[in-house]
């Protein structure tokens, strides 16, 4: 990407940040809704002595209650409208965004000009009233005509104020002339500077105070009329843009689906980058305010004291920034984007260590963002007291980091399997992978030792412990399988028991993970019932129960039943004798390895027992002649089922064989050894 395109992308990102600040300000006041008992109107002056319950016309309490309700409801509607308008501006295209900002800039210039004129006129009138000297002129014009340089160049006099206001209004008029979207009529363009600077001209003349007091209003009429004309004349265009956007979204959803529309708009708006810039600017704003509060201008050693305070309060300042950095939903989204950015580069760092560049592994930033945001919603991060919010934020980050360890294991595990099965002679690649595994074991252990020594037993600590032990178990299982594959790679003969050992080790690891899944479910249920309930936590528990418990249990049971069925089928076949194998003098047609032991099918074909067992996971026919591998029982139901299965296998034979190849090679071990 060229420098020009990068600059344009940055400008577009910056254009989308202000609407987020507007939404954030509305969320800071909770959309106008009362969030504490201090904001609810309390009628402390209403007592039983003041209300006669026998008079039905006395409704003082009800009147005040309904007034407060309608005021709150009106504030809520205004805040919701402001949020909706800001989000609509946020999703506009860049050319429309520029038009909106030009209009808002011109409107802002009108109000700045008005208040600047009002402030200058008030100061000039105040100075005129304080002038008690008999030699003082009644106006600036008389001072100019009398060449009264003392009054004209007095820094606290009206002359200097008029000159300053002249310069400000002239600059504002030039900017307004270039940015306003109204008709570019030459006469109006020439009158605009005069309109802006009219109060300054009148302040030089001996004018009546009332006329001078109202002059800023009249000076703002011409630019304000231009602004209103632009708004009214653009109404149809605005409606057309909104309707066109609605039509585009509707057509896109009907053709490609809602998820495709969200993904496309997410990429177009560059949402992660916009959220990061928004959060960084928000934190920078708060940091500047904190530094200004710490600076003591009244002392002679203000700079030294401020520097000392900055050093001493660095930790408290960082804590304050983190607390305010997640006080609203938009702030949490910004923090989520920042955390995703760092997690993405953490993943890139470990990919650099492992010398891998898999595209699927680069989703670590997206996964970490989703996890952090779900944790924030689940724990009610934005609604907590600042002190509790900081503690909860630290706990959520700790949980996120333990989840990150699992993701790192998913990166290093296939690398270990590939290195061991392919007999890769590159020692440094083995060392890198084993180093990452050592980190994934040592760091969780160190973390658990620290947490258990510093914190009391709690549901959060139990969850972190479960995640940490689980990742340790997964790494140990990977190392054990890596060792087995490495041993098998250096063997000169076929290791028939390898598949059994790998199955038992993985079954052990999966069982431990399943037990921890059940433990985390009950831990979450305890939190839901006795600590902090909520709809989001309940939904997440249901998702966890379905995917991590029910689906895993069903998949594990399915694998177990397939394996047991395959073993029973294999045991029904004859074992080849040493003489038969010597006379055959061939390799297994499935794995192409020498056969020191083999099973004989009904069609008189020889295969390794373990290879044939894997083949039976897919279908019941011989890999060579597609005849039935084993004897079929005489039961009618079994016959019908077998015939139906045979017919289906015939129709899908090519597809099944392709799938069977992957299962037969089991983790790619045999294929890697052959290549």
């Amino acid at each position: 990407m060229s420098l020009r395109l990068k600059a344009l992308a940055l400008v577009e990102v910056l254009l989308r940040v202000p609407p987020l600040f507007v939404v954030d300000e509305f969320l800071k006041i909770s959309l106008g809704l009362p969030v504490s008992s201090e904001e609810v109107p309390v009628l402390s002056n209403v007592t039983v002595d003041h209300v006669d319950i026998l008079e039905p016309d006395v409704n003082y309490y009800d009147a005040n209650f309904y007034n407060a309700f309608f005021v709150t409801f009106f504030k809520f509607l205004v805040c919701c409208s402001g949020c909706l308008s800001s989000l609509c501006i946020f999703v506009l295209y860049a050319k429309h965004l520029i038009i909106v900002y030009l209009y808002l800039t011109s409107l802002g210039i009108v109000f700045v000009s008005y208040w600047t004129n009002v402030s200058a006129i008030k100061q000039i009138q105040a100075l005129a009233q304080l002038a008690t000297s008999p030699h003082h002129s009644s106006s600036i014009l008389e001072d100019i005509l009398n060449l009264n340089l003392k009054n004209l160049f007095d820094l606290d006099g009206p002359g200097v104020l008029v000159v300053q206001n002249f310069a400000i209004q002239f600059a504002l008029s030039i900017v307004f002339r270039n940015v306003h979207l109204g008709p570019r009529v030459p006469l109006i363009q020439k009158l605009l500077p005069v309109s802006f600077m009219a109060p300054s001209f009148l302040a030089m003349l001996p004018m009546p105070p009332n006329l001078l007091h109202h002059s800023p209003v009249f000076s703002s009429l011409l630019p304000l009329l231009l602004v209103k004309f632009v708004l009214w004349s653009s109404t149809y265009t605005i409606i057309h843009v909104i309707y066109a956007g609605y039509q585009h979204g509707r057509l896109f959803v009907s053709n490609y689906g809602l998820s495709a529309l969200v993904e496309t708009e997410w990429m177009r708006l560059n949402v992660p980058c916009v959220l990061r810039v928004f959060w960084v600017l928000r934190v920078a704003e708060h940091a500047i305010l904190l530094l200004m509060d710490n600076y003591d201008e009244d002392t002679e050693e203000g700079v030294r004291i401020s520097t000392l305070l900055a050093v001493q309060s660095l930790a408290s300042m960082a804590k304050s920034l983190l607390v305010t950095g997640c006080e609203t939903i938009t702030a949490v989204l910004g923090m989520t984007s920042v955390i995703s950015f760092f997690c993405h580069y953490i993943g890139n760092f470990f990919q650099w260590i492992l010398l891998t560049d898999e595209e699927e592994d680069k989703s670590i930033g997206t996964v970490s963002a989703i996890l952090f945001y779900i944790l924030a919603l689940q724990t009610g991060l934005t609604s907590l007291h600042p002190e509790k919010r900081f503690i909860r934020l630290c706990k959520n980050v700790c949980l996120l980091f333990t989840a990150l360890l699992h993701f790192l294991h998913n990166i290093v595990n296939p690398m270990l399997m590939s290195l061991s099965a392919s007999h890769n002679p590159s020692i440094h690649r083995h060392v890198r992978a084993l180093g990452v595994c050592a980190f994934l074991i040592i760091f969780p252990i160190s973390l658990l030792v620290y947490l258990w020594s510093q914190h009391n037993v709690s549901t959060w600590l139990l969850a972190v412990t479960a995640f940490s032990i689980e990742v340790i178990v997964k790494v140990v299982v990977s190392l054990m399988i890596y060792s087995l594959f490495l041993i098998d790679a250096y063997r000169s003969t076929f290791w028939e028991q390898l598949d059994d050992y790998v199955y038992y080790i993985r079954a052990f690891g999966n069982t431990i993970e399943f037990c921890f899944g059940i433990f985390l479910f009950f831990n979450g249920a305890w939190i839901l019932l006795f600590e902090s309930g909520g709809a989001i936590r309940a939904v997440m528990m249901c998702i966890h129960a379905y995917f991590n418990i029910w689906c895993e249990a069903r998949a594990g049971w399915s694998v177990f039943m397939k394996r047991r069925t395959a073993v029973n089928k294999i045991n029904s076949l004859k074992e080849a004798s040493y003489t038969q194998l010597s006379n055959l003098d061939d390799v297994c047609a499935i794995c192409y390895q020498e056969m020191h032991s083999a099973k004989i099918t009904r069609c008189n074909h020889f295969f390794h027992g373990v290879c044939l067992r894997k083949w039976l996971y897919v279908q019941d026919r011989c890999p060579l002649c597609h005849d039935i591998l084993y004897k079929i029982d005489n039961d009618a139901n079994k016959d019908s089922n077998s015939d139906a299965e045979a017919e289906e296998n015939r129709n899908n034979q090519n597809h099944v064989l392709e799938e069977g190849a992957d299962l037969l090679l089991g983790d790619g071990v045999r294929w890697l050894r052959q290549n």
Side-chain angles (χ1 to χ4, degrees):
M1 184 181 294
S2 63
L3 182 61
R4 178 177 177 272
L5 293 178
K6 289 182 179 180
L8 291 176
L10 178 60
V11 170
E12 187 171 352
V13 167
L14 293 176
L15 288 176
R16 300 192 189 279
V17 171
L20 294 182
F21 274 101
V22 176
V23 175
D24 189 64
E25 291 299 324
F26 283 122
L27 292 178
K28 281 183 180 180
I29 60 175
S30 302
L31 297 177
L33 297 175
V35 295
S36 63
S37 58
E38 297 177 358
E39 298 183 18
V40 178
V42 179
L43 303 176
S44 58
N45 57 341
V46 178
T47 61
V48 178
D49 295 334
H50 295 120
V51 179
D52 188 0
I53 60 175
L54 297 178
E55 298 181 6
D57 294 334
V58 178
N59 54 2
Y60 178 76
Y61 180 83
D62 291 340
N64 282 270
F65 174 78
Y66 284 117
N67 289 336
F69 172 78
F70 283 116
V71 169
T72 303
F73 182 70
F74 178 75
K75 290 169 60 179
F76 176 72
L77 287 181
V78 172
C79 293
C80 289
S81 301
C83 290
L84 184 61
S85 302
S86 300
L87 293 177
C88 290
I89 294 174
F90 178 80
V91 300
L92 289 175
Y93 285 92
K95 59 180 181 180
H96 296 142
L97 272 175
I98 294 174
I99 294 174
V100 170
Y101 284 125
L102 287 176
Y103 176 78
L104 293 177
T105 302
S106 60
L107 183 62
I109 289 174
V110 174
F111 284 100
V112 170
S113 172
Y114 171 76
W115 289 112
T116 305
N117 279 326
V118 168
S119 177
I121 294 301
K122 285 183 178 180
Q123 294 183 28
I124 292 171
Q125 289 182 336
L127 291 175
Q129 292 177 0
L130 293 175
T132 57
S133 173
H135 302 287
H136 193 277
S137 302
S138 59
S139 66
I140 301 174
L141 182 60
E142 292 185 9
D143 289 332
I144 296 175
L145 295 176
N146 295 329
L147 298 178
N148 194 344
L149 300 179
K150 181 179 180 181
N151 290 338
L152 289 175
F153 292 102
D154 186 6
L155 296 178
D156 297 327
V160 176
L161 289 176
V162 170
V163 173
Q164 291 177 352
N165 196 46
F166 259 124
I168 294 173
Q169 296 300 324
F170 179 76
L172 291 175
S173 65
I174 295 300
V175 176
F176 185 85
R177 285 179 59 183
N178 292 306
V179 302
H180 81 86
L181 304 174
R184 303 282 175 167
V185 180
L187 179 61
I188 295 178
Q189 293 289 91
K190 293 177 181 179
L191 289 177
L192 281 174
V194 178
S195 176
F196 275 85
M197 295 185 291
S200 300
F201 283 115
L202 295 176
M204 299 174 59
L205 304 175
M207 303 295 294
N210 289 335
L211 179 60
L212 191 61
H213 179 73
H214 294 93
S215 60
V217 176
F218 296 102
S219 69
S220 303
L221 290 179
L222 179 59
L224 197 59
L225 286 174
L226 283 175
V227 171
K228 289 187 175 181
F229 175 79
V230 171
L231 181 62
W232 284 107
S233 61
S234 304
T235 302
Y236 174 78
T237 305
I238 295 172
I239 297 175
H240 176 72
V241 169
I242 296 174
Y243 182 73
Y246 167 74
Q247 287 292 97
H248 168 73
R250 182 179 177 181
L251 183 62
F252 200 98
V253 170
S254 63
N255 291 331
Y256 304 102
L258 181 61
S259 60
L261 175 64
V262 173
E263 183 179 357
T264 303
E265 292 300 305
W266 186 275
M267 298 295 293
R268 179 181 70 85
L269 299 174
N270 201 0
V271 176
C273 189
V274 174
L275 289 174
R276 280 195 295 271
V277 174
F278 159 73
W279 193 80
V280 170
L281 293 177
R282 191 179 190 277
V283 171
E285 176 191 5
H286 186 66
I288 292 173
L289 294 177
L290 288 178
L291 291 175
M292 292 177 63
D293 291 339
N294 289 334
Y295 187 79
D296 188 0
E297 295 181 345
D298 296 331
T299 59
E300 296 180 356
E301 300 179 347
V303 177
R304 185 180 64 83
I305 292 176
S306 63
T307 304
L308 183 62
L309 288 174
V311 173
Q312 293 178 349
S313 62
L314 184 61
S316 60
M317 181 178 176
K319 177 181 177 181
S320 177
L321 293 177
L322 290 175
V323 169
T324 57
C326 57
E327 62 181 347
T328 61
I329 294 296
T330 49
V332 171
L333 284 172
M335 181 179 283
T336 301
S337 182
V338 172
I339 290 177
S340 172
F341 179 78
F342 285 110
C343 290
H344 171 74
Y345 280 99
I346 290 175
N348 286 350
F349 172 73
F350 279 94
Q351 283 187 326
W352 172 77
I353 292 178
L354 296 172
L355 300 179
T356 181
D357 192 23
E358 294 292 336
E359 289 295 331
E360 295 180 357
D361 298 338
K362 293 183 178 181
S363 60
I364 184 171
T366 304
V367 174
S368 60
I370 295 173
L371 288 176
F372 179 80
Y373 192 69
I374 290 176
L375 284 173
L377 294 179
Q378 185 173 287
T379 55
L381 191 64
T382 58
S383 60
L384 296 176
H385 186 270
E387 190 65 33
K388 293 183 179 179
R389 188 188 305 155
F390 178 75
I391 297 174
R392 175 50 61 185
L393 178 63
C394 295
K395 290 181 177 181
N396 288 354
V397 171
C398 188
L399 284 170
L400 176 64
F401 202 82
T402 55
L404 193 64
L405 296 178
H406 286 262
F407 201 94
L408 295 177
H409 170 262
N410 293 337
I411 297 177
V412 72
N413 181 60
M415 178 66 66
L416 282 174
M417 301 302 104
S418 174
L419 290 174
S420 60
S422 62
H423 195 186
N424 194 312
S426 181
I427 302 298
H428 73 280
R429 290 178 67 89
H430 288 264
V431 173
R432 288 169 181 263
L434 293 175
V436 173
C437 291
F439 168 78
L440 293 178
I441 293 176
I442 295 173
F443 182 81
I445 293 176
S446 305
L447 179 65
L448 290 180
V449 170
Y450 171 77
L451 292 179
W452 280 91
S453 62
Q454 299 293 328
H455 299 274
N456 297 325
V457 180
S458 61
T459 52
W460 165 79
L461 185 57
L462 292 176
V464 173
T465 303
F467 281 124
S468 300
I469 296 177
E470 186 178 353
V471 74
I472 293 172
V473 172
K474 291 170 71 174
V475 173
V476 171
V477 168
S478 297
L479 290 176
M480 294 175 67
I481 297 176
Y482 164 80
S483 302
L484 290 177
F485 286 166
L486 204 61
I487 294 172
D488 180 64
Y490 282 96
R491 287 173 59 95
S492 58
T493 59
F494 179 71
W495 192 4
E496 191 169 349
Q497 291 79 19
L498 175 64
D499 182 70
D500 294 328
Y501 294 154
V502 171
Y503 174 78
Y504 295 143
I505 292 173
R506 285 182 174 168
F508 169 76
N510 292 335
T511 304
I512 297 297
E513 291 182 36
F514 181 74
C515 293
F516 276 120
I518 296 176
F519 170 76
L520 290 172
F521 177 79
F522 285 109
N523 187 65
W526 179 274
I527 298 173
L528 180 66
L529 295 176
F530 302 105
E531 293 186 7
S532 59
I536 298 177
R537 185 180 294 276
V539 171
M540 295 307 301
M541 284 187 60
C542 294
I543 294 175
H544 171 77
Y546 178 74
F547 287 102
N548 294 339
I549 297 179
W550 168 250
C551 291
E552 290 295 328
R554 187 174 60 180
W557 180 256
S558 175
V559 171
F560 172 75
M561 292 303 296
K562 284 183 179 180
R563 187 179 182 84
R564 191 180 69 170
T565 304
V567 169
N568 293 335
K569 292 176 181 179
I570 292 298
N571 291 336
S572 66
L573 300 177
K574 289 194 304 182
E575 185 78 26
S577 64
Y578 178 76
T579 304
Q580 289 175 314
L581 293 175
S582 300
N583 294 334
L584 180 66
D585 192 20
D586 199 359
V587 296
C588 174
I590 297 177
C591 68
Y592 300 105
Q593 299 292 315
E594 295 181 1
M595 289 187 291
H596 299 280
S597 63
K599 289 288 184 177
I600 305 176
T601 64
R602 294 176 65 235
C603 50
N604 202 29
H605 289 131
F606 292 70
F607 301 98
H608 283 133
V610 62
C611 297
L612 205 55
R613 184 173 62 196
K614 292 181 180 180
W615 182 266
L616 287 174
Y617 295 163
V618 182
Q619 62 172 340
D620 296 337
R621 295 189 170 271
C622 176
L624 295 178
C625 65
H626 307 296
D627 195 7
I628 298 297
L629 287 173
Y630 58 94
K631 285 187 177 182
I632 303 176
D633 296 336
N634 294 325
D635 185 84
N637 292 330
K638 291 185 177 180
D639 285 341
S640 61
N641 292 336
S642 298
D643 291 338
E645 292 176 3
E647 184 66 24
E648 183 180 357
N649 288 332
R650 290 191 192 98
N651 295 332
N652 302 283
Q653 187 174 10
N654 294 332
H655 178 68
V656 168
L657 290 174
E658 290 176 0
E659 293 182 348
D662 293 334
L663 290 174
L664 290 172
L665 295 179
D667 298 315
V669 178
R670 303 304 174 200
W671 183 86
L672 289 170
R673 289 187 62 182
Q674 293 299 324
N675 295 275

